[in-house]
């Protein structure tokens, strides 16, 4: 049931889009296990007595009091609206002005939103209306064609930040105040995260107890959790605007007349922040890359770096002046462990049998809490165990742990 604020927002946008005597219908399309910070609705606006309609996507913040008490919902929706209304339009203007070779445009249009307490929502374009599709099976890694397409967009997104720091540094600094990472802003959230990461490692240690090499590596990670989280909160140049949550649930692809994807779009910018560029890379690598890519992560990272170098060169910016190769490798080593620890829970949710998936707000209301929802050892799948082992051994082989 939509609130009066949300209904007024839909009506206001409909008028702006040229509807004069309209009505609208709403259908909830949220998939279980598919969205943690809101319910997703498809809104169809129709002109009365005329065959004219337009579809939108409305994301509405959860109203569950227990969930809202544990997460900063207003801040989260404020962040996403800031990305859509300020950051991404600013990026588009800047990259057009400087003539960036590969500009970033892979985001949906946001028509309007509300950040009123308890009424948070965003009204977006419905990408399905223009041919974009979600992936059929979110448990499978992206094949090389899909992965390359997403990686190209990550390069484009990060290129804008790096070029802006070199060419218009004051403009970039003006964005940083509103894009701090959440554990840097909130000591309680950071402490809660550290405690949860330790529990995630403990459970994973029990699951992998027969693999001595993996257990030894995880025990080292566990001892360093506090340091890993605190170091990540210390901003180390260079920084870029990252998406922060790149995985299959937040991606849509367009295929035109081929089975191969031709375009992708990044959804859900709620945890975007100014952070090291490698955070997006390891998120994508751990959650979405195939085992072949995991076995050779340096090729994946090198591909990113060379594309980034070429895109910056298109506007006469030298990557060595802001992100030399040795500093890039230093960032990789610093964030590989943190990304792994955080994604232990995300991996479990990703690789869970859909028949066992549960709603986030129902779990919290049932006493499981926001963190336990992401890690229940009784629901661990064989696919999860194999994936975690693959990542641990990749990290060992590359001296990340």
């Amino acid at each position: 049931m939509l609130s009066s604020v949300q209904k007024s927002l839909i009506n206001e946008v409909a008028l702006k889009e040229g509807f004069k005597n309209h009505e609208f219908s709403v259908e909830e399309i949220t998939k279980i296990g598919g969205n943690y910070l809101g319910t997703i609705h498809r809104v169809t606006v129709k002109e009365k007595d005329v065959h004219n309609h337009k579809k939108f996507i409305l994301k509405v913040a959860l109203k569950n009091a227990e969930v809202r008490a544990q997460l900063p919902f207003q801040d989260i929706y404020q962040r996403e609206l800031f990305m859509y209304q300020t950051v991404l339009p600013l990026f588009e203007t800047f990259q057009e002005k400087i003539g960036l070779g590969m500009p970033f445009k892979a985001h949906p249009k946001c028509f309007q939103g509300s950040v009123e307490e308890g009424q948070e929502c965003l009204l977006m374009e419905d990408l399905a209306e223009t041919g974009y599709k979600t992936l059929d099976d979110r448990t499978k890694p992206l094949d090389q064609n899909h992965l390359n397409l997403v990686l190209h967009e990550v390069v484009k997104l990060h290129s804008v930040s790096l070029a802006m720091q070199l060419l218009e540094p004051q403009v970039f600094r003006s964005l940083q105040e509103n894009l701090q990472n959440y554990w840097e802003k909130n000591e309680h959230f950071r402490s809660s995260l550290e405690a949860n990461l330790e529990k995630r490692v403990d459970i994973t240690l029990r699951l992998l107890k027969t693999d001595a090499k993996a257990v030894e590596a995880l025990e080292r990670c566990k001892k360093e959790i506090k340091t890993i989280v605190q170091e990540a909160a210390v901003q180390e140049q260079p920084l870029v605007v990252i998406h922060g949550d790149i995985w299959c649930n937040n991606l849509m692809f367009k295929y035109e007349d081929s089975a191969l994807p031709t375009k992708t779009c990044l959804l859900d910018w709620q945890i975007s922040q100014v952070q090291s560029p490698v955070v997006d890379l390891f998120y994508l690598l751990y959650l979405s890359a195939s085992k072949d890519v995991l076995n050779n992560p340096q090729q994946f990272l090198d591909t990113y770096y060379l594309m980034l170098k070429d895109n910056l060169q298109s506007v006469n910016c030298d990557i060595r002046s802001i992100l030399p190769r040795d500093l890039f490798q230093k960032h990789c080593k610093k964030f590989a462990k943190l990304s792994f620890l955080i994604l232990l829970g995300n991996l479990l949710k990703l690789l869970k049998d859909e028949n066992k998936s549960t709603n986030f707000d129902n779990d919290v209301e049932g006493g499981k809490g926001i963190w336990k929802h992401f890690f229940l050892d009784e629901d661990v799948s064989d696919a999860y165990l194999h994936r975690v082992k693959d990542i641990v051994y990749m990290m060992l082989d590359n001296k990340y742990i």
Side-chain angles (χ1 to χ4, degrees):
M1 185 71 177
L2 300 186
S3 70
S4 59
V5 170
Q6 291 151 3
K7 291 177 181 178
S8 294
L9 187 146
I10 293 171
N11 285 325
E12 186 177 337
V13 170
L15 290 171
K16 289 180 180 178
E17 292 298 300
F19 291 88
K20 297 177 181 178
N21 183 26
H22 67 274
E23 58 188 7
F24 66 84
S25 58
V26 181
E27 171 194 10
E28 184 175 343
I29 58 173
T30 310
K31 292 183 179 179
I32 293 178
N35 197 280
Y36 302 119
L37 299 176
T39 55
I40 308 300
H41 307 263
R42 174 166 284 118
V43 178
T44 303
V45 177
K46 294 182 178 179
E47 192 76 70
K48 293 179 181 178
D49 303 321
V50 179
H51 295 296
N52 181 27
H53 75 278
K54 187 178 181 71
K55 293 184 179 181
F56 303 86
I57 294 296
L58 179 70
K59 179 161 63 175
V60 178
L62 298 178
K63 292 182 170 56
N64 184 304
E66 291 183 53
V67 179
R68 294 184 67 89
Q70 297 180 59
L71 286 172
F73 269 85
Q74 197 170 29
D75 287 349
I76 290 168
Y77 274 78
Q78 181 80 56
R79 174 72 55 92
E80 186 164 25
L81 197 58
F82 179 70
M83 285 297 301
Y84 282 123
Q85 292 185 337
T86 302
V87 179
L88 293 172
L90 181 64
F91 276 12
E92 289 190 11
T93 300
F94 171 74
Q95 64 191 6
E96 183 177 349
K97 180 173 72 173
I98 65 173
L100 190 65
M102 295 192 303
F104 177 74
K105 299 179 180 178
H107 59 86
K109 180 179 180 180
C110 177
F111 292 93
Q112 202 163 316
S114 169
V115 292
E116 182 180 335
E117 180 67 39
Q119 305 294 330
E120 302 93 346
C121 66
L122 295 170
L123 190 65
M124 320 287 300
E125 68 173 309
D126 186 352
L127 291 170
E129 291 293 283
T130 55
Y132 281 87
K133 300 177 181 179
T134 56
L135 294 168
D136 293 330
D137 187 350
R138 66 177 187 162
T139 66
K140 292 182 179 179
L142 296 177
D143 63 32
Q144 198 64 51
N145 291 310
H146 287 79
L147 184 65
N148 286 344
L149 201 57
V150 178
L151 185 60
H152 269 80
E153 295 304 332
V154 174
V155 167
K156 295 175 187 179
L157 174 63
H158 295 174
S159 296
V160 185
S161 290
L162 294 176
M164 188 175 284
Q165 287 179 73
L166 290 170
L167 301 176
E168 296 184 6
Q170 290 183 332
V171 177
F172 185 79
R173 283 196 294 270
S174 71
L175 299 176
Q176 290 186 249
E177 293 181 8
N178 295 297
L179 291 173
Q180 291 176 295
N181 65 56
Y182 289 112
W183 59 78
E184 178 187 357
K185 292 174 61 178
N186 191 317
E187 175 65 33
H188 173 74
F189 187 83
R190 182 165 69 240
S191 299
S192 176
L193 174 63
E194 290 169 5
N196 175 256
L197 294 180
E198 187 169 331
K199 291 176 183 176
R200 294 184 186 192
V201 174
D202 282 338
I203 293 173
T204 308
L205 281 167
R206 292 201 299 272
L207 295 169
L208 300 180
K209 60 185 177 183
T210 59
D211 190 321
K213 194 172 182 180
V215 166
E216 182 185 357
L218 285 168
E219 285 178 340
R220 286 202 304 272
C221 278
K222 181 181 175 182
K223 291 177 183 177
E224 299 173 10
I225 284 175
K226 191 176 186 67
T227 300
I228 291 169
V229 173
Q230 289 179 343
E231 285 183 353
V234 177
Q235 294 190 333
E236 182 176 357
Q237 299 298 327
L239 302 170
V240 302
V241 175
I242 65 168
H243 178 278
D245 197 17
I246 301 175
W247 67 303
C248 59
N249 268 18
N250 294 335
L251 296 169
M252 293 184 75
F253 295 91
K254 197 169 187 177
Y255 296 89
E256 306 293 349
D257 297 324
S258 167
L260 298 178
T262 55
K263 293 181 180 180
T264 188
C265 196
L266 278 59
L267 316 176
D268 285 356
W269 294 76
Q270 292 173 323
I271 59 173
S272 298
Q273 57 193 265
V274 170
Q275 184 56 278
S276 168
V278 304
V279 173
D280 271 344
L281 294 180
F282 280 102
Y283 210 105
L284 179 60
L285 183 66
Y286 292 157
L287 281 179
S288 303
S290 68
K291 185 175 180 180
D292 287 342
V293 176
L294 274 176
N295 287 340
N296 190 6
Q298 197 56 53
Q299 181 177 347
F300 173 83
L301 297 170
D302 286 347
T303 299
Y304 164 86
Y305 189 84
L306 290 174
M307 287 193 295
L308 190 67
K309 173 177 175 287
D310 289 344
N311 207 25
L312 289 173
Q313 187 59 49
S314 72
V315 289
N316 297 316
C317 290
D318 187 348
I319 195 170
R320 292 172 299 180
S321 67
I322 191 166
L323 185 58
R325 179 79 70 148
D326 59 343
L327 181 56
F328 176 66
Q329 296 291 0
K330 180 183 176 183
H331 277 235
C332 289
K333 190 170 182 63
K334 176 178 177 179
F335 284 98
K337 285 185 283 191
L338 177 66
S339 299
F340 169 67
L341 291 170
I342 289 175
L343 295 179
L344 281 175
N346 302 59
L347 275 169
L348 183 137
K349 297 300 295 182
L350 172 65
L351 298 174
K352 189 175 182 179
D353 185 337
E354 284 193 1
N355 294 324
K356 295 181 179 179
S357 292
T358 55
N359 279 326
F360 182 43
D361 53 341
N362 289 344
D363 280 353
V364 176
E365 193 172 46
K368 293 177 181 176
I370 60 171
W371 300 119
K372 288 184 180 179
H373 170 86
F374 288 97
F375 213 114
L376 303 173
D377 52 342
E378 66 266 24
D379 292 333
V380 171
S381 66
D382 288 339
Y384 170 80
L385 295 177
H386 291 310
R387 184 72 178 185
V388 169
K389 277 189 179 183
D390 289 342
I391 295 173
V392 168
Y393 276 90
M394 179 278 283
M395 294 174 70
L396 284 167
D397 291 344
N398 289 272
K399 296 181 172 55
Y400 292 141
I401 53 175

